[in-house]
Amino acid sequence: MGTAVTMDKLVALCKNRGIIFPGSEIYGGMGNTWDYGPVGVEIKNNVKRVWWKRFVQESDNSFGVDAAILMNSRVWEASGHTTSFSDPKMDCKKCKTRHRADNLIEMHSKGKVDPDLMTNEEMEQYIREKEVHCPICGGFDWTNIRTFNLMFETSRGVTDESQNKIYLRPETAQGEFINFLNVQRTTRAKVPFGIAQIGKAFRNEITPGNFIFRTIEFEQMEHQWFCKEGTDSQFYEEYKARAMQFLLDLGIKREHLRFHDHEKLAHYAKAACDIQYLYPMGWSELNGIHNRTDYDLSRHQEYSGKSLTYVDPIDGSRYLPYVIEYSIGADRLMLALLAEAYEEETLEGGDVRGVMRFHPAIAAYKAAVLPLQKNIAEPAKALLQKLKKKFSVSYDEAGSIGKRYRRQDEIGTPFCITTDFETLENGTVTVRERDSMQQLRLPMDEIEAFLAEKTAF
Ligand code: GAP
């Protein structure tokens, strides 16, 4: 974060710059849903693209899937989600709002107390003893903690009698686990190998309203690495390092990131940690890396009755692989990148410019083409048509060139390309760089190669 940015500021600028709008806004909104606008959808697509490039395309032995969102309900019984995917909730009896007990404790203790280490009784006791008040009405009259399953239910079937309860998936991971043998068989991959997926997940979350940090519909980018027991700890460390390097390569400062080891592990997990980011509201989880042992494959084997055993082609040994899971929310990463990129820079002479210093690979538009004078727009339009075939490019001919530069700075466009009378004479254009505001003159036919080099990830 160049300039300390508040969440309110980020929400407002995202709305004003076509990055993210409140969901269902003209109907008064719908809590915890957000719509990506023309600039935001480009950024988010880039986020997903660079993740896929790093963890599938450039990774040895990693393969992608795109599994169905709606799955056989037995999947969620096997995974444990139908019985234990719930949050501890308390109702304020005064204003009738519902809250997560763990969130109340985190907010009250400003992150110093970790509610993950507490039982429900301990959380109730903390809230009563410390007199944690309702953040909405200020009241102090709580119900006891009750647990609610976070999965959204729907039903399938044509007639009322034939309706079966099904769920919107709360994570993409299960689509990777249940396709383990399909992927292994069709790719002829040998363990260790990985299966990755990017897709929507849904959770009936109550959140304290931290913008796109925690929403009821979000996208996950998940990667499961299947490996032999005994090699798992080494791969766990490797994925921690790879996950961190990815964030650093996107331009996030190391001092805004930290590892957070889980002290309380799920019963099947051997090790688990998050990478946290210093969001405007404080340190919070950005992604998770888990050593899930052979729990997932053994549960699906048990519940489906189908063998998921891997047979080693070299030594003929048969086993269920361990899984190292690396999971990151595309929206949550987007929030970190927005917060990290935001800067209000004071220029010589006292002017302040708002600039989003995105990594060029993430920026919505790789360049903006700006004819200096409207009446000599032809070369600019020709350049635009050429560049559009390779990159997402913006075009603007309205207003002073200074204002047009500022508009592009505000959405993080890394390069502005200006055509002028000289372009007509010798075919060169001015390229202005967003961060330094330095300008250089280049032949028009070198721009494509210039952008390809400067915006690569
Ligand atoms: N398969 C493992 C899994 O789903 P998780 O910690 O519940 O683990 C993984 O979720 C990541 O998904 C989180 O680190 C976060 O980036 C993102 N995520 C989870 N719940 C989210 C929500 N309600 N809104 C936005 N992102 C969420």
Side-chain angles (χ1 to χ4, degrees):
M1 278 165 277
T3 320
V5 61
T6 62
M7 202 63 97
D8 286 347
K9 229 177 205 179
L10 268 189
V11 174
L13 82 83
C14 282
K15 186 173 171 183
N16 293 334
R17 295 176 194 175
I19 302 175
I20 300 169
F21 308 122
S24 313
E25 194 180 12
I26 60 167
Y27 287 99
M30 156 119 174
N32 296 326
T33 65
W34 299 90
D35 296 340
Y36 285 77
V39 176
V41 70
E42 297 288 344
I43 299 174
K44 193 174 173 193
N45 282 342
N46 291 335
V47 166
K48 292 187 280 185
R49 204 171 288 135
V50 295
W51 186 88
W52 194 264
K53 179 166 185 280
R54 176 66 58 93
F55 289 97
V56 182
Q57 186 185 322
E58 292 175 358
S59 282
D60 291 338
N61 238 10
S62 277
F63 308 93
V65 292
D66 183 10
I69 287 175
L70 301 174
M71 302 169 100
N72 188 310
S73 299
R74 293 278 288 163
V75 169
W76 306 113
E77 287 169 30
S79 67
H81 282 83
T82 43
T83 47
S84 56
F85 191 54
S86 52
D87 275 343
K89 310 241 170 88
M90 293 177 107
D91 289 351
C92 169
K93 289 191 202 161
K94 195 170 159 212
C95 68
K96 313 280 183 243
T97 52
R98 185 160 288 166
H99 303 263
R100 277 176 57 171
D102 51 343
N103 284 344
L104 291 172
I105 294 171
E106 262 172 15
M107 277 192 293
H108 181 268
S109 69
K110 300 203 165 48
K112 291 201 182 81
V113 176
D114 185 354
D116 281 353
L117 302 175
M118 296 168 132
T119 61
N120 283 356
E121 290 69 35
E122 285 166 343
M123 284 197 269
E124 279 175 2
Q125 194 182 347
Y126 179 99
I127 286 167
R128 300 227 148 89
E129 277 177 7
K130 303 278 179 194
E131 295 197 11
V132 179
H133 286 250
C134 170
I136 305 294
C137 72
F140 179 57
D141 192 4
W142 297 107
T143 61
N144 285 339
I145 288 178
R146 285 176 294 164
T147 48
F148 290 89
N149 197 291
L150 289 175
M151 284 197 293
F152 280 105
E153 289 175 11
T154 183
S155 52
R156 165 163 210 276
V158 205
T159 61
D160 279 353
E161 302 78 60
S162 70
Q163 298 272 331
N164 281 326
K165 198 197 298 182
I166 55 172
Y167 302 95
L168 300 189
R169 69 179 174 200
E171 61 171 14
T172 58
Q174 300 305 323
E176 291 136 69
F177 298 138
I178 62 168
N179 281 299
F180 162 67
L181 274 191
N182 278 338
V183 173
Q184 192 273 323
R185 186 173 47 81
T186 51
T187 59
R188 291 177 294 125
K190 293 187 188 67
V191 168
F193 72 93
I195 304 183
Q197 176 168 213
I198 298 180
K200 289 255 180 177
F202 305 83
R203 296 182 189 177
N204 201 353
E205 305 255 22
I206 292 186
T207 89
N210 282 323
F211 194 24
I212 53 171
F213 178 79
R214 194 183 295 285
T215 48
I216 58 177
E217 175 184 341
F218 55 99
E219 267 182 289
Q220 287 187 314
M221 308 188 286
E222 297 203 289
H223 185 280
Q224 316 295 336
W225 185 249
F226 298 90
C227 59
K228 192 168 188 175
E229 182 182 0
T231 61
D232 52 304
S233 299
Q234 168 215 326
F235 284 123
Y236 174 71
E237 292 305 323
E238 189 181 301
Y239 270 88
K240 277 174 70 173
R242 288 187 70 191
M244 177 61 85
Q245 193 57 50
F246 175 64
L247 299 172
L248 296 173
D249 290 348
L250 283 174
I252 301 184
K253 291 191 190 68
R254 185 62 183 84
E255 61 265 32
H256 295 162
L257 296 165
R258 70 180 187 194
F259 285 108
H260 169 75
D261 289 322
H262 291 199
E263 286 173 43
K264 195 167 97 180
L265 293 178
H267 63 277
Y268 53 83
K270 191 163 153 189
C273 81
D274 302 333
I275 295 179
Q276 297 184 332
Y277 175 70
L278 186 55
Y279 288 98
M281 74 283 185
W283 287 103
S284 274
E285 176 184 339
L286 170 54
N287 71 224
I289 301 119
H290 299 198
N291 182 341
R292 302 179 62 98
T293 66
D294 61 359
Y295 175 78
D296 307 284
L297 292 184
S298 63
R299 293 280 288 190
H300 286 304
Q301 181 166 269
E302 180 191 339
Y303 277 69
S304 67
K306 303 275 181 336
S307 170
L308 296 177
T309 305
Y310 171 73
V311 183
D312 189 305
I314 311 288
D315 63 14
S317 61
R318 306 167 74 85
Y319 59 92
L320 284 182
Y322 269 37
V323 170
I324 306 302
E325 175 180 75
Y326 157 49
S327 176
I328 179 163
D331 312 84
R332 208 172 274 190
L333 176 54
M334 174 106 182
L335 180 59
L337 293 170
L338 286 166
E340 190 73 12
Y342 181 86
E343 182 154 353
E344 283 170 19
E345 185 185 13
T346 307
L347 304 172
E348 265 174 48
D351 260 11
V352 176
R353 75 165 178 148
V355 54
M356 296 297 271
R357 298 190 192 276
F358 293 123
H359 185 298
I362 294 302
Y365 306 112
K366 303 301 168 228
V369 178
L370 316 171
L372 201 57
Q373 295 91 356
K374 252 194 206 169
N375 55 351
I376 47 160
E378 284 323 307
K381 285 184 177 157
L383 180 62
L384 174 71
Q385 291 312 322
K386 188 174 170 215
L387 294 179
K388 265 178 156 185
K389 295 198 190 303
K390 295 276 167 64
F391 312 96
S392 171
V393 181
S394 165
Y395 180 83
D396 188 1
E397 56 179 29
S400 76
I401 192 66
K403 284 209 179 101
R404 282 185 273 166
Y405 282 154
R406 290 288 181 276
R407 279 203 287 269
Q408 297 302 327
D409 290 343
E410 287 182 350
I411 56 170
T413 309
F415 300 102
C416 286
I417 301 163
T418 320
T419 57
D420 52 21
F421 283 115
E422 220 182 311
T423 312
L424 295 177
E425 282 163 21
N426 62 15
T428 62
V429 292
T430 301
V431 180
R432 176 227 189 227
E433 202 265 332
R434 174 196 67 202
D435 293 344
S436 63
M437 295 186 288
Q438 303 245 310
Q439 304 194 3
L440 72 151
R441 200 82 199 169
L442 281 181
M444 207 153 51
D445 53 16
E446 285 180 19
I447 295 294
E448 203 177 304
F450 173 88
L451 288 182
E453 188 203 324
K454 297 285 182 190
T455 65
F457 182 77

